[in-house]
Amino acid sequence: MESLKKSHRSLLWCVFVLCVHLALTGGCPADGRTWVPFKDRCYYFVHGDEDKIKSYSFEDAKTHCKGFELLTIQSEEENKFVIDYSPEVWKNSPPVIVWLGMYYDSNTQNMTWLHDNAVTFSNWEDGSLTSDLAPMDKCAALHTNTGKWEIVSCSDDLENGVICEAAQDKEKAKRKPSAVLSALVILSVVAIVGVSAVVWFLHQKHNFGSGIVTAFEYHPPFRVPDTDQSCLVEAEETDSTP
């Protein structure tokens, strides 16, 4: 009985989580990967086994995010989101370093974002910008334990993590649920109702024992004796009277 109640609660919780997840990720890419929404952006944390560190070169990082952006930090709030969420992905690992979508711009002689030159936020470690690396070998990485950025070698350093980024599709997020989603919700409701009915029935049976069963036993309708039988009964009662 208790196990059924737990199953019922688990089913309700799963449906709730599914609906929340679908609502939150409505504007994120639907490519089979787990995108995490934050503000008006979506993030895909690339990882292998959760208990192992997976290293990627800068070129590997760009390949994993092909068609999307490599992580571009636009604000302090976004920077904090990345360092707060990273432990949820890379579990049982030492502090992870992730590639930033930056390159060295020889024209401005500064590190520049690959996809958005208008971003002005930065969080460099002290002295990081004075790196001795050759200009064309300068890339950037973020330390998830401190949130600080540093200049690293594009060719020699293998950073541990890759985070892809995409803008949320606002129009997609506003659309009505698809037919598949609607069918899923209907099936979930039917399942909840079915489990609820079973739990209620077993609960009633547990409380009243076999009473709920006897309440449904068949009882034939009352039969009125015919005239001859009635007379015979009256005659027998008269004869037996002293």
Side-chain angles (χ1 to χ4, degrees):
M1 179 66 187
E2 186 63 28
S3 62
L4 278 172
K5 289 183 178 179
K6 290 181 179 179
S7 298
H8 185 217
R9 289 193 294 266
S10 298
L11 180 58
L12 287 170
W13 175 249
C14 289
V15 172
F16 171 76
V17 171
L18 174 63
C19 292
V20 170
H21 175 74
L22 290 171
L24 291 176
T25 60
C28 291
D31 59 356
R33 295 186 289 187
T34 303
W35 289 87
V36 181
F38 178 75
K39 299 293 186 179
D40 59 348
R41 311 288 289 177
C42 298
Y43 303 83
Y44 171 56
F45 291 71
V46 181
H47 62 283
D49 295 334
E50 291 183 347
D51 58 345
K52 296 179 182 178
I53 295 176
K54 185 72 173 179
S55 296
Y56 301 94
S57 68
F58 187 63
E59 291 302 317
D60 287 338
K62 290 192 293 184
T63 299
H64 275 292
C65 298
K66 187 175 181 180
F68 304 104
E69 303 174 18
L70 197 56
L71 181 62
T72 302
I73 303 294
Q74 302 184 38
S75 66
E76 182 177 358
E77 192 176 13
E78 184 179 12
N79 199 75
K80 185 177 185 302
F81 160 73
V82 172
I83 63 177
D84 288 345
Y85 195 81
S86 291
E88 300 295 325
V89 179
W90 294 295
K91 300 175 182 178
N92 304 318
S93 295
V96 176
I97 303 173
V98 296
W99 290 106
L100 291 175
M102 277 186 166
Y103 73 102
Y104 183 80
D105 188 343
S106 57
N107 295 323
T108 62
Q109 297 184 348
N110 287 314
M111 297 300 294
T112 304
W113 294 105
L114 292 170
H115 300 283
D116 191 348
N117 295 332
V119 178
T120 58
F121 174 77
S122 64
N123 197 34
W124 297 105
E125 286 184 345
D126 293 338
S128 179
L129 292 175
T130 59
S131 172
D132 294 331
L133 290 170
M136 301 309 295
D137 191 35
K138 288 183 177 180
C139 284
L142 177 151
H143 292 260
T144 60
N145 60 331
T146 64
K148 294 293 184 179
W149 310 353
E150 70 167 330
I151 301 294
V152 296
S153 170
C154 299
S155 56
D156 296 336
D157 288 329
L158 293 178
E159 305 306 326
N160 297 329
V162 176
I163 302 175
C164 304
E165 186 175 343
Q168 284 202 48
D169 185 340
K170 295 181 180 179
E171 290 302 319
K172 179 182 175 183
K174 292 179 181 179
R175 290 175 194 162
K176 293 181 179 180
S178 64
V180 175
L181 177 57
S182 299
L184 179 61
V185 172
I186 292 173
L187 289 175
S188 300
V189 172
V190 171
I192 291 173
V193 172
V195 173
S196 299
V198 172
V199 171
W200 177 86
F201 180 82
L202 293 178
H203 179 68
Q204 295 297 320
K205 186 175 181 180
H206 175 75
N207 287 340
F208 300 106
S210 60
I212 192 171
V213 177
T214 56
F216 293 98
E217 288 181 355
Y218 174 75
H219 296 279
F222 177 74
R223 294 182 61 190
V224 179
D226 55 31
T227 305
D228 293 339
Q229 288 178 324
S230 299
C231 293
L232 180 60
V233 170
E234 290 178 359
E236 291 178 348
E237 290 179 348
T238 303
D239 292 342
S240 60
T241 301

